[in-house]
């Protein structure tokens, strides 16, 4: 005679009471952690206000009437007028400066992105003798400050008849950004799986087709971030145009604003308007490309 054994009832797990410093529920936070997060947020808010206040004051001063600027220089948006902006645009020739800034920044940015992407792919995916040494030699450019070779470069450009020309200045801006661009793009290409290029080679794709059609679309976020970063750096560059464009025919916004300030040290309204004209394009570009820049730099940090 067989007997059937009934299974024992399940035993409920013991209820653990929250210890000291532990949360009693999913929505509750320890007082010390809450106080630390509150203090951190307050500190970030204060630092953000300190950073944004000069920009807001510049915009407010540029858009006020000249009389209001003299009477109440620190009043925010107490009046509205485009007189200062018109004065800076016409008297200060900021229209020509804007065009020259684009003529310098856009070609140099395109060259940096193209050459850095190709160099990054070469150092990351193509084995050749002396690859590591050549890469470290390129990265060495990050450690050499521009001040050490700017004077010899001046005489070299003059001997090549490239001084005070757009071509010579664009080449200088391009070379100053190649080291970082190559280092940045190599991090993206190094993390791509080798199975992709192996499958492309089995299908009969050439090395150029692998680079353009397989690898390049996968690092588009990095290339976009590099383009925005390089454009902002070249747009704000002051020393290169000042040294290598002495004639003033192709003077960009940075050097143009410098000369405009020298002649109007007491005329605050047009100075603020000139500053607003200088920073407005890069603010618009950064706000439009903020997501791509953040994703690109975060991906580069993880991959590197």
């Amino acid at each position: 005679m067989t007997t059937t054994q009934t299974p024992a009832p399940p035993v409920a797990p013991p209820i653990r009471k929250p210890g000291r410093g532990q949360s009693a529920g999913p929505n509750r936070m320890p007082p010390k952690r809450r106080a630390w997060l509150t203090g951190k947020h307050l500190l970030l808010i204060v630092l953000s206000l300190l950073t944004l206040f000069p920009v807001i004051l510049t915009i407010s001063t540029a858009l006020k009437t000249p009389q209001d600027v003299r009477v109440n220089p620190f009043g925010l948006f107490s009046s509205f007028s485009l007189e200062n902006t018109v004065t800076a645009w016409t008297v200060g020739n900021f229209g020509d400066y804007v065009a020259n800034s684009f003529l310098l920044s856009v070609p140099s940015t395109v060259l940096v992105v193209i050459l850095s992407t190709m160099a990054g792919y070469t150092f990351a995916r193509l084995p050749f003798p002396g690859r590591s040494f050549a890469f470290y030699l390129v990265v060495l450019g990050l450690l050499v400050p521009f001040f050490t070779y700017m004077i010899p470069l001046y005489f070299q450009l003059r001997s090549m008849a490239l001084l005070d020309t757009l071509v010579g200045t664009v080449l200088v801006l391009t070379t100053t950004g190649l080291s970082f661009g190559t280092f940045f793009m190599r991090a993206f290409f190094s993390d791509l799986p080798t199975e992709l290029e192996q499958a492309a080679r089995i299908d009969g794709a050439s090395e150029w087709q692998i680079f353009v059609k397989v690898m390049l679309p996968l690092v588009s976020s990095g290339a976009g971030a590099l383009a925005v970063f390089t454009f902002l750096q070249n747009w704000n560059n002051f020393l290169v145009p000042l040294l290598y464009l002495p004639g003033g025919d192709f003077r960009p916004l940075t050097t143009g604003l410098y000369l405009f300030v020298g002649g109007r040290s007491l005329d605050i309204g047009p100075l603020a308007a000139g500053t607003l004209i200088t920073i407005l394009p890069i603010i618009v570009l950064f706000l439009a490309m903020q997501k791509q820049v953040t994703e690109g730099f975060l991906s580069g940090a993880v991959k590197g």
Side-chain angles (χ1 to χ4, degrees):
M1 182 176 179
T2 59
T3 60
T4 59
Q5 296 180 356
T6 59
V11 180
I15 299 177
R16 297 181 179 180
K17 296 182 180 181
R20 181 177 299 178
Q22 295 181 351
S23 175
N27 297 326
R28 298 184 61 182
M29 185 181 298
K32 291 184 178 180
R33 179 172 175 80
R34 186 184 299 111
W36 182 80
L37 289 177
T38 303
K40 184 177 70 173
H41 291 160
L42 290 176
L43 178 62
L44 292 176
I45 292 174
V46 172
L47 293 177
S48 300
L49 292 177
L50 291 176
T51 304
L52 292 176
F53 179 75
V55 179
I56 297 174
L57 182 61
T58 300
I59 298 174
S60 173
T61 304
L63 298 179
K64 291 195 299 186
T65 61
Q67 296 79 10
D68 196 9
V69 172
R70 289 190 293 268
V71 174
N72 188 16
F74 293 100
L76 297 180
F77 304 101
S78 55
S79 61
F80 178 78
S81 175
L82 296 178
E83 183 177 350
N84 294 321
T85 306
V86 172
T87 301
W89 189 268
T90 55
V91 178
N93 296 324
F94 274 82
D96 296 335
Y97 298 156
V98 171
N100 293 335
S101 292
F102 278 106
L103 290 176
L104 291 174
S105 302
V106 173
S108 58
T109 300
V110 173
L111 287 174
V112 167
V113 173
I114 293 176
L115 296 177
S116 299
T117 304
M118 298 175 67
Y121 175 78
T122 301
F123 287 121
R125 317 298 297 192
L126 301 181
F128 59 89
R131 182 178 65 172
S132 299
F133 176 77
F135 174 70
Y136 291 134
L137 192 63
V138 172
V139 175
L140 185 64
L142 294 172
L143 306 178
V144 180
F146 177 72
F147 304 99
T148 59
Y149 59 87
M150 64 180 185
I151 302 302
L153 187 59
Y154 176 90
F155 292 104
Q156 184 177 4
L157 290 177
R158 190 178 67 176
S159 63
M160 299 171 62
L162 292 177
L163 190 64
D164 203 14
T165 61
L166 284 175
V167 176
T169 310
V170 167
L171 290 177
V172 174
L173 291 174
T174 302
T175 55
T176 55
L178 280 179
S179 296
F180 172 77
T182 302
F183 175 80
F184 184 73
M185 293 306 301
R186 179 182 176 272
F188 285 87
F189 285 113
S190 298
D191 199 66
L192 297 179
T194 57
E195 290 79 9
L196 294 175
E197 53 185 324
Q198 292 176 357
R201 288 193 178 95
I202 293 175
D203 293 337
S206 63
E207 200 64 48
W208 178 255
Q209 290 174 334
I210 294 174
F211 169 68
V212 174
K213 297 182 179 181
V214 179
M215 296 297 180
L216 194 57
L218 299 177
V219 297
S220 57
S221 61
L226 177 62
V228 174
F229 177 79
T230 305
F231 182 85
L232 297 181
Q233 187 178 29
N234 293 340
W235 183 277
N236 294 324
N237 198 302
F238 171 75
L239 189 57
V240 170
L242 182 66
L243 286 176
Y244 306 120
L245 293 173
D249 295 334
F250 305 105
R251 184 177 294 132
L253 280 168
T254 50
T255 55
L257 181 62
Y258 168 73
L259 296 177
F260 190 63
V261 169
R264 294 175 173 268
S265 58
L266 298 179
D267 207 352
I268 304 176
L271 293 180
T275 305
L276 179 61
I277 294 173
T278 303
I279 66 176
L280 186 60
I282 58 177
I283 291 177
V284 173
L285 176 64
F286 183 79
L287 292 178
M289 302 290 293
Q290 182 179 6
K291 182 178 179 181
Q292 290 79 0
V293 172
T294 304
E295 291 177 356
F297 276 101
L298 289 178
S299 299
V302 174
K303 297 176 189 299

